Amino acid sequence: MLLADLRGALPGGERHRPRQSEISEGLRSWVLDNGLISSTEEDSRFPGAGFSQMAADIFPRVERSRVLLAAKWSVVLFYLDDLHDERFCVDEQAVTLAYARLLSILRDLEPARPSAFESAFVGLRRQTVVMMSESWRSRFIHHFTQHRDGLGDEAVNRRHGHIPTVEEYLPLRRRTNGTFMQDLHEVALRPELSRRLAESNSWDFLCAASNDITAWCNDMLSFAKETQINDPHNIVSVLANELRCDLPSAMKEAEEWIRLRAGVMNSFREKDQLSAGYLGLSSEEWKRTIAVADSICAATGGHLSWALASPRYMNGPASAKRSDPHGVPLSHR
């Protein structure tokens, strides 16, 4: 109920794209053709999770092929998230090894004997980077590396039973939430940011705000599952531990944090505080750049609308009952 009420505070939560079913079919075909699903249960896990709807809502006026490309990257992110639950849970070395192969693909060095997922990743990387500059590619790899580092840090925390402080958790959660996904807004919308703007503090601030909102909403939705397995990587658990309060109070505090963060993000955009980083751009280039900024802001509402409807969150996955080799139960985020 708290999250449903939050939709009005977030931009982009009520946008719907016509012909979304065509994007869904395209995504389903891609998942099937690349061997990413192998059973009836897993068939509903990816195509049925609504990733095409999320991409369609975030990019309502973008041509279908690029919305489909964004949806494929969403599958990649959540496939990695599930792999984290299944193999990386308390083993940072497993994270390092898996990501070494993926990072080699991003650097155009394909690994020997790739898995089905790695082969799909090869094709997706080729389809994506052909449209972008070397500067963008380097930034994307940097953010993908941060994702690896965040998952590794979580594994260490779990193994040692460490509950992160708020100060530790906030930057960690941004990394595990997949900062590289924000770079894909440039791919979908096609104006690539100037290097000066992409590396500016203003752009970092905007992206961090959007990242925080989607991550914390995700945490609130997955809180019950993560509580069952004593996983401390959740904004509600972190706040309860730091504030020494009960869980309902921590949940309410997390909701208030999301509202405040959304207010700051919206105010930042409305006051055009990105302008310091756009010197040298033509008025048309700046107009296209602002479209990317607006899309990143609107992703907060689009993500929440998807999460509130997706069976991934609203129906509890069957995998929540599994355990890893260390005896730690597994759950999807």
Side-chain angles (χ1 to χ4, degrees):
M1 289 299 295
L2 291 176
L3 286 173
D5 291 342
L6 270 173
R7 273 192 292 195
L10 303 180
E14 301 299 331
R15 306 192 303 181
H16 297 288
R17 178 191 177 92
R19 302 175 67 191
Q20 184 270 331
S21 61
E22 296 177 15
I23 300 168
S24 179
E25 283 303 312
L27 183 63
R28 177 182 172 80
S29 295
W30 180 76
V31 170
L32 284 168
D33 292 346
N34 283 279
L36 299 183
I37 53 179
S38 57
S39 70
T40 302
E41 177 184 344
E42 290 184 341
D43 186 275
S44 65
R45 178 173 161 185
F46 289 109
F51 298 124
S52 57
Q53 182 63 61
M54 177 170 58
D57 285 353
I58 292 174
F59 302 109
R61 290 177 292 278
V62 174
E63 68 178 58
R64 186 178 61 178
S65 63
R66 281 181 274 157
V67 178
L68 178 57
L69 184 65
K72 291 175 183 177
W73 278 107
S74 295
V75 170
V76 165
L77 176 63
F78 285 94
Y79 190 100
L80 290 170
D81 190 55
D82 291 347
L83 192 63
H84 179 217
D85 289 338
E86 294 163 6
R87 285 175 44 197
F88 305 160
C89 191
V90 293
D91 186 357
E92 70 274 21
Q93 292 303 314
V95 177
T96 300
L97 290 173
Y99 274 71
R101 293 172 67 87
L102 297 178
L103 284 166
S104 75
I105 292 171
L106 290 178
R107 297 185 178 106
D108 203 18
L109 298 169
E110 298 178 17
R113 297 185 297 278
S115 66
F117 173 70
E118 289 169 343
S119 293
F121 194 78
V122 167
L124 188 54
R125 180 259 178 198
R126 289 175 181 165
Q127 185 182 1
T128 303
V129 302
V130 69
M131 297 182 282
M132 310 306 289
S133 71
E134 189 61 38
S135 174
W136 182 92
R137 296 177 198 178
S138 296
R139 174 158 44 97
F140 186 81
I141 290 172
H142 172 67
H143 289 151
F144 199 84
T145 303
Q146 287 185 326
H147 191 248
R148 175 203 65 189
D149 295 343
L151 296 183
D153 289 345
E154 280 195 350
V156 172
N157 286 344
R158 288 192 189 96
R159 193 172 69 250
H160 294 290
H162 173 63
I163 301 176
T165 65
V166 169
E167 185 178 4
E168 291 170 335
Y169 184 69
L170 298 187
L172 172 62
R173 189 66 180 95
R174 286 174 198 147
R175 295 195 297 273
T176 61
N177 197 41
T179 306
F180 64 87
M181 294 295 292
Q182 293 177 317
D183 299 325
L184 294 166
H185 286 254
E186 296 164 68
V187 179
L189 298 172
R190 292 305 288 271
E192 187 173 321
L193 298 178
S194 72
R195 185 167 184 172
R196 175 172 177 170
L197 180 60
E199 295 177 353
S200 69
N201 291 334
S202 296
W203 190 257
D204 282 347
F205 181 89
L206 184 74
C207 289
S210 176
N211 189 322
D212 286 344
I213 292 165
T214 58
W216 300 344
C217 287
N218 185 306
D219 281 1
M220 290 180 72
L221 281 165
S222 62
F223 171 70
K225 297 171 191 172
E226 287 163 4
T227 299
Q228 290 174 358
I229 61 172
N230 296 316
D231 189 338
H233 298 103
N234 188 292
I235 189 64
V236 178
S237 300
V238 168
L239 286 171
N241 184 65
E242 187 135 329
L243 300 177
R244 298 291 187 264
C245 63
D246 58 27
L247 293 177
S249 298
M251 186 72 75
K252 187 65 177 176
E253 183 73 9
E255 180 217 10
E256 184 60 22
W257 276 40
I258 292 169
R259 288 187 184 278
L260 290 172
R261 201 72 168 116
V264 169
M265 180 186 71
N266 292 334
S267 176
F268 186 85
R269 262 301 294 120
E270 289 166 3
K271 294 179 180 178
D272 194 20
Q273 291 178 273
L274 292 171
S275 57
Y278 89 99
L279 297 180
L281 295 182
S282 68
S283 59
E284 183 60 30
E285 288 172 323
W286 178 240
K287 181 179 178 181
R288 295 199 304 268
T289 296
I290 286 300
V292 177
D294 289 342
S295 179
I296 286 175
C297 291
T300 58
H303 176 273
L304 180 56
S305 289
W306 161 74
L308 287 171
S310 174
R312 184 180 179 88
Y313 291 99
M314 305 318 292
N315 294 338
S319 64
K321 299 178 182 178
R322 296 200 300 266
S323 296
D324 76 355
H326 298 272
V328 180
L330 303 175
S331 169
H332 296 300
R333 275 190 179 174

